[in-house]
PDB file of all heavy atoms in Angstrom:
ATOM      1  N   LEU B  25     -24.694  14.873   6.652  1.00  0.00           N
ATOM      2  CA  LEU B  25     -24.477  13.455   6.879  1.00  0.00           C
ATOM      3  C   LEU B  25     -24.519  13.247   8.386  1.00  0.00           C
ATOM      4  O   LEU B  25     -23.710  13.839   9.118  1.00  0.00           O
ATOM      5  CB  LEU B  25     -23.128  13.019   6.315  1.00  0.00           C
ATOM      6  CG  LEU B  25     -22.931  13.230   4.811  1.00  0.00           C
ATOM      7  CD1 LEU B  25     -21.480  12.978   4.428  1.00  0.00           C
ATOM      8  CD2 LEU B  25     -23.857  12.337   4.017  1.00  0.00           C
ATOM      9  N   GLY B  29     -25.914   4.953  15.809  1.00  0.00           N
ATOM     10  CA  GLY B  29     -25.754   3.531  16.044  1.00  0.00           C
ATOM     11  C   GLY B  29     -24.518   3.131  16.822  1.00  0.00           C
ATOM     12  O   GLY B  29     -24.302   1.941  17.074  1.00  0.00           O
ATOM     13  N   GLY B  36     -15.836  -9.399  19.694  1.00  0.00           N
ATOM     14  CA  GLY B  36     -16.470 -10.535  19.055  1.00  0.00           C
ATOM     15  C   GLY B  36     -17.927 -10.322  18.682  1.00  0.00           C
ATOM     16  O   GLY B  36     -18.486 -11.110  17.909  1.00  0.00           O
ATOM     17  N   PHE B  50     -28.839  11.391  -3.133  1.00  0.00           N
ATOM     18  CA  PHE B  50     -28.002  10.342  -2.542  1.00  0.00           C
ATOM     19  C   PHE B  50     -27.647   9.258  -3.561  1.00  0.00           C
ATOM     20  O   PHE B  50     -26.495   8.804  -3.623  1.00  0.00           O
ATOM     21  CB  PHE B  50     -28.747   9.734  -1.357  1.00  0.00           C
ATOM     22  CG  PHE B  50     -28.010   8.665  -0.609  1.00  0.00           C
ATOM     23  CD1 PHE B  50     -26.948   8.988   0.228  1.00  0.00           C
ATOM     24  CD2 PHE B  50     -28.375   7.335  -0.735  1.00  0.00           C
ATOM     25  CE1 PHE B  50     -26.268   8.002   0.936  1.00  0.00           C
ATOM     26  CE2 PHE B  50     -27.713   6.341  -0.032  1.00  0.00           C
ATOM     27  CZ  PHE B  50     -26.650   6.673   0.803  1.00  0.00           C
ATOM     28  N   GLY B  65      -4.794   9.005  13.789  1.00  0.00           N
ATOM     29  CA  GLY B  65      -5.125   9.557  12.487  1.00  0.00           C
ATOM     30  C   GLY B  65      -6.341   8.891  11.866  1.00  0.00           C
ATOM     31  O   GLY B  65      -7.012   8.065  12.465  1.00  0.00           O
ATOM     32  N   THR B  71     -15.957   1.743   0.916  1.00  0.00           N
ATOM     33  CA  THR B  71     -16.606   2.568  -0.106  1.00  0.00           C
ATOM     34  C   THR B  71     -17.632   1.722  -0.824  1.00  0.00           C
ATOM     35  O   THR B  71     -17.437   0.513  -0.997  1.00  0.00           O
ATOM     36  CB  THR B  71     -15.565   3.105  -1.115  1.00  0.00           C
ATOM     37  OG1 THR B  71     -14.581   3.878  -0.418  1.00  0.00           O
ATOM     38  CG2 THR B  71     -16.229   3.981  -2.166  1.00  0.00           C
ATOM     39  N   SER B  75     -25.104   2.149  -6.898  1.00  0.00           N
ATOM     40  CA  SER B  75     -26.169   1.138  -6.835  1.00  0.00           C
ATOM     41  C   SER B  75     -25.986   0.168  -5.675  1.00  0.00           C
ATOM     42  O   SER B  75     -26.911  -0.564  -5.320  1.00  0.00           O
ATOM     43  CB  SER B  75     -26.210   0.347  -8.134  1.00  0.00           C
ATOM     44  OG  SER B  75     -25.014  -0.407  -8.271  1.00  0.00           O
ATOM     45  N   LYS B  86     -11.759  -6.240   5.884  1.00  0.00           N
ATOM     46  CA  LYS B  86     -12.364  -7.102   4.858  1.00  0.00           C
ATOM     47  C   LYS B  86     -12.781  -8.424   5.479  1.00  0.00           C
ATOM     48  O   LYS B  86     -12.035  -9.043   6.235  1.00  0.00           O
ATOM     49  CB  LYS B  86     -11.365  -7.334   3.732  1.00  0.00           C
ATOM     50  CG  LYS B  86     -11.962  -7.932   2.471  1.00  0.00           C
ATOM     51  CD  LYS B  86     -10.917  -8.055   1.382  1.00  0.00           C
ATOM     52  CE  LYS B  86     -10.419  -6.713   0.898  1.00  0.00           C
ATOM     53  NZ  LYS B  86      -9.454  -6.831  -0.202  1.00  0.00           N
ATOM     54  N   ARG B 122     -15.922  12.037  -7.255  1.00  0.00           N
ATOM     55  CA  ARG B 122     -15.091  11.206  -8.122  1.00  0.00           C
ATOM     56  C   ARG B 122     -15.196  11.597  -9.578  1.00  0.00           C
ATOM     57  O   ARG B 122     -16.166  12.198 -10.015  1.00  0.00           O
ATOM     58  CB  ARG B 122     -15.451   9.735  -7.933  1.00  0.00           C
ATOM     59  CG  ARG B 122     -16.841   9.359  -8.344  1.00  0.00           C
ATOM     60  CD  ARG B 122     -17.172   7.915  -7.912  1.00  0.00           C
ATOM     61  NE  ARG B 122     -16.297   6.932  -8.489  1.00  0.00           N
ATOM     62  CZ  ARG B 122     -16.495   6.350  -9.669  1.00  0.00           C
ATOM     63  NH1 ARG B 122     -17.539   6.673 -10.393  1.00  0.00           N
ATOM     64  NH2 ARG B 122     -15.651   5.449 -10.128  1.00  0.00           N
ATOM     65  N   ILE B 124     -14.253   9.842 -13.620  1.00  0.00           N
ATOM     66  CA  ILE B 124     -14.639   8.621 -14.317  1.00  0.00           C
ATOM     67  C   ILE B 124     -13.933   7.393 -13.730  1.00  0.00           C
ATOM     68  O   ILE B 124     -14.526   6.330 -13.564  1.00  0.00           O
ATOM     69  CB  ILE B 124     -14.324   8.731 -15.829  1.00  0.00           C
ATOM     70  CG1 ILE B 124     -15.188   9.824 -16.458  1.00  0.00           C
ATOM     71  CG2 ILE B 124     -14.529   7.400 -16.525  1.00  0.00           C
ATOM     72  CD1 ILE B 124     -14.819  10.133 -17.889  1.00  0.00           C
ATOM     73  N   PHE B 130     -12.806  13.300  -0.587  1.00  0.00           N
ATOM     74  CA  PHE B 130     -14.039  13.222   0.172  1.00  0.00           C
ATOM     75  C   PHE B 130     -14.508  14.642   0.462  1.00  0.00           C
ATOM     76  O   PHE B 130     -13.874  15.354   1.250  1.00  0.00           O
ATOM     77  CB  PHE B 130     -13.805  12.446   1.473  1.00  0.00           C
ATOM     78  CG  PHE B 130     -13.422  11.015   1.255  1.00  0.00           C
ATOM     79  CD1 PHE B 130     -12.142  10.575   1.512  1.00  0.00           C
ATOM     80  CD2 PHE B 130     -14.336  10.095   0.781  1.00  0.00           C
ATOM     81  CE1 PHE B 130     -11.771   9.251   1.297  1.00  0.00           C
ATOM     82  CE2 PHE B 130     -13.981   8.777   0.564  1.00  0.00           C
ATOM     83  CZ  PHE B 130     -12.699   8.346   0.817  1.00  0.00           C
ATOM     84  N   GLN B 135     -20.363  14.238  11.433  1.00  0.00           N
ATOM     85  CA  GLN B 135     -19.731  14.558  12.725  1.00  0.00           C
ATOM     86  C   GLN B 135     -19.095  13.335  13.372  1.00  0.00           C
ATOM     87  O   GLN B 135     -18.242  13.462  14.251  1.00  0.00           O
ATOM     88  CB  GLN B 135     -20.774  15.144  13.696  1.00  0.00           C
ATOM     89  CG  GLN B 135     -21.207  16.546  13.353  1.00  0.00           C
ATOM     90  CD  GLN B 135     -20.253  17.592  13.924  1.00  0.00           C
ATOM     91  OE1 GLN B 135     -19.190  17.269  14.429  1.00  0.00           O
ATOM     92  NE2 GLN B 135     -20.644  18.846  13.827  1.00  0.00           N
ATOM     93  N   VAL B 141     -15.036  -0.838  21.614  1.00  0.00           N
ATOM     94  CA  VAL B 141     -15.045  -2.295  21.719  1.00  0.00           C
ATOM     95  C   VAL B 141     -14.241  -2.675  22.961  1.00  0.00           C
ATOM     96  O   VAL B 141     -13.021  -2.533  22.996  1.00  0.00           O
ATOM     97  CB  VAL B 141     -14.457  -2.949  20.467  1.00  0.00           C
ATOM     98  CG1 VAL B 141     -14.558  -4.480  20.577  1.00  0.00           C
ATOM     99  CG2 VAL B 141     -15.165  -2.442  19.221  1.00  0.00           C
ATOM    100  N   SER B 142     -14.957  -3.151  23.967  1.00  0.00           N
ATOM    101  CA  SER B 142     -14.303  -3.456  25.236  1.00  0.00           C
ATOM    102  C   SER B 142     -15.180  -4.412  26.047  1.00  0.00           C
ATOM    103  O   SER B 142     -16.410  -4.364  25.949  1.00  0.00           O
ATOM    104  CB  SER B 142     -14.065  -2.172  26.029  1.00  0.00           C
ATOM    105  OG  SER B 142     -13.540  -2.449  27.310  1.00  0.00           O
TER     106      SER B 142
END
Side-chain angles (χ1 to χ4, degrees):
Chain B
L25 300 170
F50 182 74
T71 301
S75 66
K86 193 177 294 183
R122 64 189 300 272
I124 295 172
F130 296 109
Q135 288 275 9
V141 183
S142 175

